[in-house]
Amino acid sequence: MKPNKIYFPLFLSAAVALGLLLGSKLSTFSDYQSNNKKAKLNRLIDLIDRDYVDDINTDSIVDLTVNKILENLDPHSVYIDPKEMVAVNESMRGDFVGIGVNFYMYHDTVAVIKPVKEGPSEKAGIKAGDRILAAGDYTLYGKNLPNDSLFGKLKGPEGSAVNLTIYRKTEKKEFKVKVLRDIIPLKSVDISFMTDNLTGYIKINRFSETTYREFHNALLKLKAQGMTRLMIDLRGNGGGYLEMAVAIADDLLPKGDVIVKVKNKKGKVDTTFATEKGEFETGELYILIDENSASASEILAGAIQDNDRGTIVGRRSFGKGLVQREMPLGDGSAVRLTVARYYTPSGRSIQKPYGDKGEGYFNEFEKRFANGELYEADSIKVADSLKYRTKEGRTVYGGGGIIPDVFVPFEANHGEEATIMVMQSGLVNYFAFEQIDKSRNYFDQLNLTELKEEIFSDEKYLDEFKKYISGSGILLSFHQKDKILTYLYAEFVRQLKTDLDYYKILLQQDNMAQKVLSLEK
């Protein structure tokens, strides 16, 4: 028997009220469970604080607990302690306030490698090779200062003054100088220049708050110089802000092309499309990637590849397809928590498996060396079940990084990988500094041609470098003599001349860059 229409509103009201009541009870039960878990942790910390027999730092216990919880998630959900957060924030903000010098600790003394161009120290007259002996009354030499203590003496509020005691070895004199601290940019675009009359090159080291502005300015300058072909170098770029990669992709893709899709826990998908604002939508485009190109680098490379906008050159990228959000914990620390997955325009997830969440997950070089894919494209493992199509119907694969369109093997021969890795490390910087420091007045007067002749003319510097490396406990093959000398020459040039000169030298022997130049139409 059907209910009378007169009573229907009463039935409906009763059903709604019952639903609200049940929902409230379920919500209360869920909140109770959540609060009960929190209360359990809080009670344990309180018990240790109050009753544990020995004195103990409960802050360290909390940090350990947070890390243990995050270990059960993915490898990119991490805890960042307050000290780390300062450095992370500066790096991602793209600047800090300081005196503006590149330095390292040389025989327990702060040695200036080079002052930042037009920075506070250069304006105050500090030069490469100077030693900073003291900041105010605080001595900076003859003690093993941790970096955070050292930075604390040299950094400070914008516009504040610090009186430095300097020793200039070239003139054998000690003097004091007043330096006014200022904002020092941390560039995310290392360099941009024309490699020939038509080809521009832009090297991006990370995606920070300033990256798109830096990239856009570089792009406009190169276009003004007649650029019709562009190389964007993302090798070694571990990522950063997704928004910066999207903004750069928007400059390169025509209106309406999909840049990236982001899917959250609830299954909601946000799709980002290119707008009409692009500055370089039709010229030849090449993206350089390697096994250390990750996250935002892969978003940019994937957007270009899936839209058939350009050519991806190099080796398979890292394989990070997870999106993190940084969440402050109230004491200066933060948790970087994975909150979504991203997908390339064709629908690919390029996140590699993360059953191994330890060092093995992050150390891609060793694994790829072992399976042979650093040298042979055929050694790259792909799953036919993860096959996708680009805009023009080309086959691409998901499941672990961006596979390049044009493969370029690792530049060293088998058995000599360590040599190239050392040549790209900070050891070369230190060696060059020490050699220059012995005769700085002599090196300062050499032009590029004379400096090259100095390094290549005999095996003096090669022999010195061999001694330096062996003294560090490292055994290397020196079969690639010319390549090693080129790296040494380039580093001497970087410290004595400019970053532009440095990159121009290295790009001449860079296999990926030379491959791009050979592909030009």
Side-chain angles (χ1 to χ4, degrees):
M1 185 175 68
K2 294 181 180 179
N4 192 305
K5 290 183 181 180
I6 296 174
Y7 298 106
F8 187 75
L10 296 176
F11 287 126
L12 183 60
S13 299
V16 169
L18 181 61
L20 289 171
L21 180 62
L22 288 172
S24 172
K25 293 293 184 185
L26 290 171
S27 176
T28 301
F29 180 66
S30 175
D31 290 344
Y32 169 76
Q33 285 184 312
S34 177
N35 289 332
N36 198 35
K37 293 170 187 173
K38 294 172 190 174
K40 187 175 182 179
L41 285 173
N42 289 337
R43 181 174 293 180
L44 176 59
I45 298 298
D46 288 342
L47 285 171
I48 293 170
D49 245 347
R50 189 183 68 231
D51 295 330
Y52 185 66
V53 64
D54 295 322
D55 289 333
I56 192 163
N57 181 359
T58 49
D59 286 344
S60 65
I61 294 177
V62 171
D63 289 356
L64 184 64
T65 303
V66 171
N67 279 311
K68 284 294 183 184
I69 291 170
L70 294 173
E71 281 176 12
N72 289 290
L73 306 181
D74 64 272
H76 301 287
S77 290
V78 294
Y79 170 70
I80 308 170
D81 68 36
K83 287 183 180 178
E84 281 184 280
M85 274 306 300
V86 174
V88 168
N89 286 336
E90 287 177 349
S91 175
M92 298 314 296
R93 189 175 63 242
D95 63 48
F96 68 96
V97 176
I99 65 169
V101 289
N102 297 308
F103 69 90
Y104 82 103
M105 295 303 293
Y106 181 56
H107 298 324
D108 261 357
T109 304
V110 180
V112 177
I113 299 172
K114 210 176 194 180
V116 173
K117 189 172 178 58
E118 298 181 1
S121 289
E122 185 181 73
K123 290 176 182 176
I126 293 174
K127 296 180 179 180
D130 285 350
R131 272 53 166 180
I132 304 176
L133 303 182
D137 296 327
Y138 193 85
T139 302
L140 297 178
Y141 66 91
K143 56 178 76 174
N144 291 314
L145 274 179
N147 278 345
D148 53 351
S149 297
L150 179 58
F151 292 147
K153 299 301 176 184
L154 300 179
K155 290 181 179 180
E158 183 181 355
S160 62
V162 57
N163 293 307
L164 302 179
T165 303
I166 304 294
Y167 175 71
R168 181 159 295 159
K169 184 182 175 185
T170 55
E171 300 174 16
K172 295 181 179 172
K173 72 174 185 179
E174 184 178 312
F175 59 94
K176 294 185 183 295
V177 63
K178 181 180 179 180
V179 180
L180 296 178
R181 297 182 180 97
D182 203 351
I183 296 174
I184 309 299
L186 292 170
K187 295 192 300 181
S188 56
V189 171
D190 285 329
I191 202 73
S192 63
F193 63 94
M194 296 292 290
T195 64
D196 58 34
N197 291 335
L198 299 175
T199 310
Y201 172 85
I202 300 177
K203 168 73 173 169
I204 306 174
N205 63 57
R206 69 188 185 285
F207 292 87
S208 70
E209 288 181 15
T210 61
T211 301
Y212 174 68
R213 183 172 71 246
E214 293 177 52
F215 171 84
H216 188 72
N217 290 340
L219 185 65
L220 294 178
K221 287 179 182 177
L222 294 175
K223 282 181 65 179
Q225 295 175 54
M227 178 185 70
T228 60
R229 296 187 290 258
L230 174 61
M231 268 191 278
I232 301 177
D233 192 344
L234 301 178
R235 288 174 291 179
N237 184 328
Y241 290 129
L242 179 149
E243 296 84 358
M244 295 296 106
V246 167
I248 291 173
D250 197 6
D251 254 348
L252 306 171
L253 294 169
K255 181 181 179 181
D257 277 1
V258 174
I259 296 175
V260 67
K261 302 172 184 177
V262 177
K263 185 177 182 180
N264 68 11
K265 182 176 183 178
K266 296 179 180 178
K268 181 186 176 186
V269 177
D270 288 323
T271 303
T272 303
F273 298 90
T275 67
E276 71 283 347
K277 72 171 188 174
E279 287 288 349
F280 192 74
E281 296 180 352
T282 57
E284 287 180 47
L285 178 62
Y286 302 90
I287 308 290
L288 277 53
I289 61 171
D290 66 9
E291 52 282 346
N292 295 314
S293 304
S295 192
S297 292
E298 294 171 302
I299 288 172
L300 178 53
I304 299 305
Q305 187 176 54
D306 283 8
N307 285 294
D308 295 295
R309 169 63 188 90
T311 305
I312 312 301
V313 179
R315 297 184 293 278
R316 182 168 65 96
S317 64
F318 181 84
K320 178 180 180 289
L322 304 175
V323 181
Q324 284 73 47
R325 182 183 301 150
E326 206 166 88
M327 302 175 182
L329 296 179
D331 62 348
S333 67
V335 167
R336 192 170 287 160
L337 192 67
T338 297
V339 295
R341 295 179 182 270
Y342 78 76
Y343 299 83
T344 67
S346 66
R348 288 184 287 167
S349 168
I350 53 83
Q351 175 63 45
K352 64 179 181 177
Y354 49 84
D356 175 6
K357 300 176 188 178
E359 189 177 333
Y361 172 84
F362 291 100
N363 195 344
E364 279 296 290
F365 188 90
E366 283 188 12
K367 288 196 293 187
R368 297 186 189 190
F369 169 72
N371 69 26
E373 74 165 87
L374 293 178
Y375 293 94
E376 298 290 341
D378 291 343
S379 297
I380 300 173
K381 301 294 187 292
V382 295
D384 285 339
S385 59
L386 299 174
K387 190 182 293 185
Y388 296 83
R389 298 289 180 184
T390 68
K391 198 174 183 180
E392 294 179 1
R394 294 186 303 122
T395 300
V396 288
Y397 294 90
I402 301 290
I403 297 173
D405 303 310
V406 177
F407 177 79
V408 179
F410 189 67
E411 62 183 282
N413 298 322
H414 273 299
E416 298 182 348
E417 295 82 8
T419 300
I420 297 304
M421 293 176 77
V422 165
M423 298 313 297
Q424 296 173 346
S425 75
L427 283 172
V428 178
N429 306 19
Y430 300 149
F431 171 77
F433 177 85
E434 291 186 9
Q435 294 299 309
I436 293 167
D437 198 57
K438 292 175 184 177
S439 307
R440 188 169 292 275
N441 287 332
Y442 169 71
F443 280 108
D444 279 342
Q445 67 184 355
L446 300 180
N447 61 32
L448 286 172
T449 303
E450 292 166 338
L451 183 55
K452 184 174 184 178
E453 187 177 341
E454 171 73 19
I455 303 300
F456 280 85
S457 60
D458 59 40
E459 297 198 350
K460 170 186 171 184
Y461 294 98
L462 190 66
D463 291 339
E464 288 291 331
F465 187 63
K466 286 179 183 178
K467 292 178 190 174
Y468 184 81
I469 289 299
S470 63
S472 302
I474 300 171
L475 297 176
L476 291 182
S477 162
F478 282 85
H479 293 145
Q480 300 184 67
K481 185 173 74 172
D482 285 346
K483 190 177 282 284
I484 291 170
L485 284 172
T486 300
Y487 273 108
L488 292 178
Y489 167 54
E491 186 55 41
F492 274 74
V493 166
R494 176 152 64 173
Q495 294 190 28
L496 291 164
K497 307 299 180 183
T498 68
D499 285 353
L500 177 59
D501 294 318
Y502 167 82
Y503 279 101
K504 282 185 174 180
I505 291 166
L506 288 187
L507 234 58
Q508 289 173 7
Q509 68 160 22
D510 187 304
N511 291 347
M512 281 196 204
Q514 294 306 311
K515 184 66 175 180
V516 167
L517 296 175
S518 74
L519 293 171
E520 291 174 1
K521 298 174 183 176

